[in-house]
Amino acid sequence: MGGSLRATIDSYAAGTLPLHRFAWELDSRLTTLSELSELPRRGSLATLCVARKTITAIDTELCATGRGGLTAAEKHTLAAAVTALRTELTRLAPSVPSTPTVQRAPIGRVDPAGALVA
């Protein structure tokens, strides 16, 4: 579920995704997520959307003012929003069950009655 969302966050954090594209992708992915899935915790989508709105607001402010960089307060707010996204996605991640042990039958052949013959 959150794999592509995590990849988007990782791309932004790595500096390979600009803020305007990050904001757009978050909006797109969270809209799709809300339409196509039922999150195990209703508050999860709200938490993700609050973080997205924060990121979008910062991007909108940069576009409106024509500034090329973030203020210290914006950097802090943006970092907190990214942390909130990661934290909520981690909470949503299903626990990975341990790999079951498969017992294999000994190699042999089966006779016409269905019995294993070594």
Side-chain angles (χ1 to χ4, degrees):
M1 166 181 55
S4 61
L5 191 50
R6 281 187 191 86
T8 297
I9 296 166
D10 292 344
S11 293
Y12 174 74
T16 58
L17 190 65
L19 180 60
H20 70 278
R21 181 67 184 187
F22 180 46
W24 180 86
E25 286 201 26
L26 283 177
D27 183 56
S28 175
R29 294 183 192 291
L30 288 176
T31 298
T32 301
L33 183 64
S34 68
E35 292 171 354
L36 299 179
S37 71
E38 292 183 23
L39 294 176
R41 294 182 359 196
R42 187 163 178 81
S44 297
L45 185 59
T47 300
L48 295 170
C49 286
V50 167
R52 177 198 41 90
K53 287 178 184 178
T54 300
I55 293 165
T56 300
I58 293 170
D59 178 53
T60 302
E61 177 67 18
L62 282 178
C63 290
T65 61
R67 289 186 287 121
L70 299 168
T71 65
E74 289 168 334
K75 287 179 185 177
H76 177 74
T77 301
L78 188 56
V82 169
T83 298
L85 287 169
R86 288 183 190 271
T87 301
E88 196 59 35
L89 287 173
T90 299
R91 285 184 189 144
L92 290 173
S95 60
V96 179
S98 61
T99 305
T101 304
V102 177
Q103 293 183 345
R104 298 181 186 254
I107 297 176
R109 59 184 171 79
V110 177
D111 70 15
L116 182 63
V117 179

